[in-house]
Amino acid sequence: RKKLKSTSKYIYQTLFLNGENSDIKICALGEEWNLHKIYLCQSGYFSSMFSGSWKESSMNVIELEIPDQNIDVEALQVAFGSLYRDDVLINPSRVVALLAAACMLQLDGLIQQCGETMKETITAQTVCGYYNSAGTYGLDSVKKKCLEWLLNNLMTHQSVGLFKELSINLMKQLISSSNLFVLQVEMDVYTALKKWMFLQLVPSWNGSFKQVLSEADAWFAERRREFGGDVAFLESAQGSAFAPVFAHLRLQYIISDLASARIVERDALLPSEWLSSVYKQQWFAMLRAEQDNDIGPQEINKEELEGNSMRCGRKLAKDGDYCWRWTGFNFGLDLLVTYTNRYIIFKRNTLNQPCSGSVSLQPRRSIAFRLRLASFDCSGKMICSRTTGYQILTLEKDQEQIVMNLDSRLLTFPLYICCNFLYTSPEKRADS
């Protein structure tokens, strides 16, 4: 083993770095490399060049055209050097340039190694660059991994830099997904979009992230004064490009809270037609719960759950006892969620209400839900996760039900809990 290792080092130093016994010179980007055809033929690019009827097959000096701006001299140095050694140490800060060079030279092994490096080093600083590069160079597994990272971390790893990098198309994918890890409720998704849209429109702004919301509110307030209150921002020339993203907000779970509804109305970002249709939808939902014997979903409708379920979540900073309410369920069902002694418990909260008409008093009430738990390291990489999958749960008045028992492998804190709920029968929705 020691002899093989020293041989590899000798080949790299003598043949590549020193260029001894070179039979071909490669010129690119103002630099020259004295290399060897027998080693270059490991590259699909050079193998085709030397084996075909190309004029380069008989030339001793080849001038390479580099059409990709991501490729630089350092990336070519590493790519050429990889042909003379057994392993390559890839610096994550250089991986995109090296991937570009590897793709041009058709170095499949190096391309794969770049992809693995990218998947292992996804952070808030690298995720958008990696996602775009994976799309450019056909690394679907890296693209998928970046999308998963963003779905898991968008609400917890927000920064000025990340929000400036997130494209409209990518943000649309995230906001439309039922797998978006939402903390706390849907209103927080709206607030995040407002910050993101401001930073997309004013990319020169460079304050701290804590200042973004107040700056965004002031900026949009100035636009309202310009419009005179007659046009929603998403209907304006500046805002229309962002409408497809905001269209995937689940507004029915925002306007059910008075404070949130007032903020949305004040901001005047959304077209009035969007809001009026949702207000009507929620009014009918309340009437069905009170008067039409709507006891909730009776079977799993995955399409309905993924497109229209309530998204909400909590962060548990440390082990202990926690209890919270999903107040969006006051159209017929008020739900208490408790974490205690490694159990997640749902309770139908019926009798202990300030207003007797705020919840359904039907003997039995059903919800469709999916509960997900996950813990992440400091870079946002998932350490472990668990899910119930989509289920139907039927509860009597004030009945409790254990929905998940945590094992010790999941007790890595902070622990994130994310839920998807559907509490009205899909076939009875008001817009059907």
Side-chain angles (χ1 to χ4, degrees):
R1 289 180 180 176
K2 289 182 179 178
K3 184 177 181 181
L4 287 174
K5 186 175 180 181
S6 63
T7 301
S8 176
K9 285 184 177 180
Y10 176 81
I11 291 171
Y12 181 75
Q13 178 67 47
T14 305
L15 299 185
F16 177 65
L17 294 181
N18 298 343
E20 293 186 15
N21 300 320
S22 169
D23 57 0
I24 190 167
K25 179 179 290 187
I26 304 296
C27 305
L29 301 176
E31 293 291 326
E32 297 179 351
W33 288 267
N34 294 311
L35 303 176
H36 309 78
K37 286 186 177 183
I38 193 169
Y39 283 92
L40 287 178
C41 281
Q42 297 173 84
S43 155
Y45 180 87
F46 286 111
S47 178
S48 298
M49 179 186 291
F50 297 150
S51 62
S53 57
W54 307 100
K55 64 177 182 179
E56 288 88 352
S57 61
S58 59
M59 294 172 61
N60 296 324
V61 179
I62 295 177
E63 185 76 36
L64 288 185
E65 292 186 10
I66 309 296
D68 191 336
Q69 294 182 349
N70 286 327
I71 301 174
D72 56 20
V73 171
E74 185 179 346
L76 288 175
Q77 175 76 7
V78 176
F80 289 142
S82 71
L83 301 172
Y84 291 80
R85 62 196 315 177
D86 296 329
D87 52 13
V88 178
L89 183 62
I90 298 176
N91 186 334
S93 66
R94 298 288 310 154
V95 69
V96 173
L98 183 56
L99 173 63
C103 286
M104 189 194 102
L105 298 177
Q106 301 171 35
L107 301 173
D108 293 341
L110 189 56
I111 292 171
Q112 183 178 356
Q113 191 175 346
C114 286
E116 293 303 314
T117 299
M118 292 166 79
K119 285 188 279 189
E120 289 297 320
T121 57
I122 297 173
T123 65
Q125 291 72 40
T126 63
V127 63
C128 290
Y130 284 178
Y131 180 87
N132 295 331
S133 298
T136 299
Y137 300 112
L139 294 184
D140 291 340
S141 62
V142 174
K143 193 174 180 180
K144 180 181 178 182
K145 201 77 173 178
C146 290
L147 193 62
E148 288 176 356
W149 189 97
L150 286 165
L151 287 169
N152 291 333
N153 295 280
L154 179 67
M155 302 302 293
T156 57
H157 282 66
Q158 297 173 7
S159 67
V160 172
L162 177 62
F163 273 22
K164 286 181 179 180
E165 284 190 272
L166 282 168
S167 68
I168 289 176
N169 286 335
L170 181 52
M171 186 62 96
K172 180 181 174 182
Q173 286 190 68
L174 299 174
I175 300 304
S176 64
S177 175
S178 63
N179 293 323
L180 179 65
F181 234 96
V182 172
L183 300 174
Q184 308 269 329
V185 290
E186 193 75 17
M187 182 60 185
D188 296 279
V189 182
Y190 169 85
T191 303
L193 282 186
K194 182 165 56 171
K195 298 174 185 177
W196 164 76
M197 182 165 62
F198 165 71
L199 291 171
Q200 292 284 305
L201 291 166
V202 192
S204 59
W205 191 85
N206 282 315
S208 71
F209 194 75
K210 291 182 178 179
Q211 300 171 307
V212 175
L213 183 57
S214 60
E215 290 287 332
D217 283 337
W219 194 86
F220 289 119
E222 182 63 30
R223 304 291 82 73
R224 285 197 300 276
R225 286 189 287 271
E226 293 175 4
F227 300 153
D230 298 326
V231 179
F233 184 78
L234 294 182
E235 296 176 309
S236 69
Q238 279 182 302
S240 59
F242 300 93
V245 182
F246 280 80
H248 287 285
L249 282 170
R250 302 179 182 189
L251 295 174
Q252 65 269 38
Y253 305 115
I254 294 177
I255 58 95
S256 59
D257 175 71
L258 179 60
S260 300
R262 284 174 170 165
I263 291 173
V264 171
E265 292 281 355
R266 178 207 68 191
D267 288 347
L269 300 179
L270 310 179
S272 59
E273 294 81 5
W274 292 14
L275 293 171
S276 59
S277 65
V278 175
Y279 286 132
K280 178 180 177 181
Q281 174 186 326
Q282 289 300 81
W283 175 246
F284 273 94
M286 186 179 73
L287 291 178
R288 289 199 309 275
E290 291 294 322
Q291 302 175 18
D292 199 26
N293 198 33
D294 181 6
I295 62 172
Q298 300 303 298
E299 59 183 20
I300 298 295
N301 184 328
K302 189 175 181 182
E303 182 180 356
E304 182 75 11
L305 275 160
E306 292 185 345
N308 294 293
S309 58
M310 176 181 177
R311 303 178 292 191
C312 43
R314 288 291 187 275
K315 174 184 177 181
L316 308 187
K318 58 183 180 180
D319 202 4
D321 292 338
Y322 298 86
C323 184
W324 57 90
R325 294 172 64 214
W326 300 123
T327 55
F329 280 85
N330 54 14
F331 289 108
L333 182 65
D334 188 71
L335 198 68
L336 289 178
V337 181
T338 303
Y339 169 78
T340 182
N341 296 324
R342 301 184 180 180
Y343 291 104
I344 302 291
I345 300 170
F346 289 175
K347 178 183 178 181
R348 181 184 171 193
N349 191 30
T350 304
L351 301 179
N352 184 26
Q353 293 291 334
C355 302
S356 60
S358 63
V359 297
S360 171
L361 297 178
Q362 293 166 346
R364 297 167 68 83
R365 194 69 165 72
S366 298
I367 58 170
F369 76 95
R370 179 184 64 174
L371 175 66
R372 292 180 293 153
L373 285 82
S375 56
F376 306 93
D377 64 17
C378 58
S379 68
K381 184 179 180 180
M382 185 177 287
I383 300 172
C384 55
S385 66
R386 188 175 171 187
T387 179
T388 61
Y390 288 116
Q391 297 184 20
I392 297 288
L393 178 63
T394 300
L395 296 171
E396 298 179 359
K397 296 178 183 178
D398 289 320
Q399 180 183 351
E400 293 184 350
Q401 178 69 46
I402 296 173
V403 294
M404 186 178 285
N405 179 13
L406 281 70
D407 55 40
S408 58
R409 291 173 298 172
L410 267 176
L411 293 180
T412 303
F413 289 86
L415 187 66
Y416 294 87
I417 297 177
C418 189
C419 296
N420 293 72
F421 291 113
L422 194 67
Y423 57 94
T424 57
S425 304
E427 69 273 12
K428 294 184 179 181
R429 284 174 56 210
D431 57 355
S432 62

